[in-house]
């Protein structure tokens, strides 16, 4: 092969599957998500080993200025009447933003600022989501299939899972076969 050419990573836009690059992979199970869902009894009755979501991240430089690229695959399902979702986080470096791109499935991106103001964006194949700094973010799968979203974020951003305290102020549930958003103050 010509020495000037370097094999790039490939992502399958239809599934979010990466090839041609070392990957870091982390699965999050029901057991990992204690206290995340509103219905603790329903959570307790689930298989603790059930995978709720898997994140694959290209194993690239973590130097200041570098960017990470990863795909989240969030399974369909509910805990009680609440749709499966990611834990959600602020970035440890609060001012650092991120971009999400919807690849497959149907869901919502919940954004919440430090004053508690929350918004929801519809995630679908091709959707682009600009997450500003100082904004906590969580994916929610409201569909019947896997929700996959590609994300690009600064390597220095880090994650702060503890800072949400009471959690997000919105919950998304299925009530009477409809997607309902419930506000908790
Ligand atoms: C990275 C990012 C995503 C999430 C992933 C899992 O900054 O926002 O890659 O890390 O969707 O969600 P959490 O990290 O909240 O478990
Ligand atoms: Zn993030």
């Amino acid at each position: 092969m010509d020495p000037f050419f370097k094999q790039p990573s490939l992502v399958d836009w239809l599934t979010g599957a990466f090839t041609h690059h070392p990957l870091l992979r982390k699965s999050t199970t029901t057991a990992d998500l204690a206290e995340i869902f509103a219905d603790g009894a329903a959570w307790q009755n689930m298989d603790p080993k059930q995978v709720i979501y898997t994140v694959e991240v290209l194993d690239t430089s973590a130097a200041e200025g570098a960017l990470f690229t990863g795909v989240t695959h969030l399974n369909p399902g509910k805990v009680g009447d609440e749709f499966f979702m990611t834990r959600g986080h602020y970035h440890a470096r609060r001012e650092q933003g991120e971009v999400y791109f919807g690849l497959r499935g149907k869901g919502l991106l919940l954004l919440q600022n430090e004053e508690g103001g929350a918004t929801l964006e519809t995630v679908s194949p091709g959707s682009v989501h600009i997450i500003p700094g100082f904004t906590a973010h969580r994916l929610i799968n409201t569909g019947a299939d896997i929700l996959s979203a590609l994300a690009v974020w600064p390597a220095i951003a880090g994650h702060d899972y503890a800072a949400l305290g009471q959690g997000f102020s919105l919950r998304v549930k299925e009530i009477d076969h409809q997607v309902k958003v419930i506000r908790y103050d």
Side-chain angles (χ1 to χ4, degrees):
M1 181 98 154
D2 188 311
F4 294 113
F5 283 91
K6 188 170 168 268
Q7 180 69 258
S9 304
L10 289 176
V11 64
D12 179 337
W13 293 114
L14 296 179
T15 64
F18 280 124
T19 51
H20 292 306
H21 211 289
L23 282 177
L24 306 170
R25 184 181 285 109
K26 184 180 173 224
S27 289
T28 298
T29 62
T30 313
D32 296 323
L33 295 173
E35 317 260 296
I36 294 294
F37 294 94
D39 188 341
W43 174 81
Q44 198 79 50
N45 283 331
M46 290 176 62
D47 174 0
K49 293 196 177 72
Q50 184 179 351
V51 172
I52 308 296
Y53 59 98
T54 299
V55 181
E56 290 190 332
V57 181
L58 297 179
D59 190 5
T60 53
S61 166
E64 183 164 358
L67 298 169
F68 282 145
T69 306
V71 173
T72 300
H73 300 284
L74 175 57
N75 286 325
K78 284 175 288 174
V79 177
D81 54 9
E82 189 172 19
F83 291 105
F84 280 3
M85 56 195 182
T86 58
R87 179 183 296 277
H89 59 268
Y90 282 106
H91 289 154
R93 286 277 300 266
R94 288 288 192 284
E95 79 285 4
Q96 300 291 321
E98 180 161 3
V99 187
Y100 277 26
F101 305 89
L103 297 178
R104 67 171 166 176
K106 193 169 94 174
L108 295 166
L109 175 63
L110 172 55
L111 300 173
Q112 183 163 309
N113 64 28
E114 292 182 304
E115 289 74 50
T119 53
L120 289 162
E121 296 185 3
T122 304
V123 183
S124 63
S127 62
V128 179
H129 309 272
I130 310 294
I131 303 171
F134 304 96
T135 306
H137 40 286
R138 157 182 282 170
L139 282 169
I140 302 162
N141 189 346
T142 57
D145 305 310
I146 299 172
L147 175 70
S148 297
L150 177 72
V152 180
W153 69 99
I156 57 157
H159 297 103
D160 183 344
Y161 292 102
L164 270 158
Q166 313 266 78
F168 288 84
S169 57
L170 299 182
R171 289 190 177 273
V172 183
K173 299 187 173 184
E174 185 175 63
I175 297 167
D176 297 333
H177 305 287
Q178 292 196 1
V179 177
K180 294 274 187 221
V181 179
I182 295 149
R183 182 156 184 111
Y184 289 73
D185 288 303

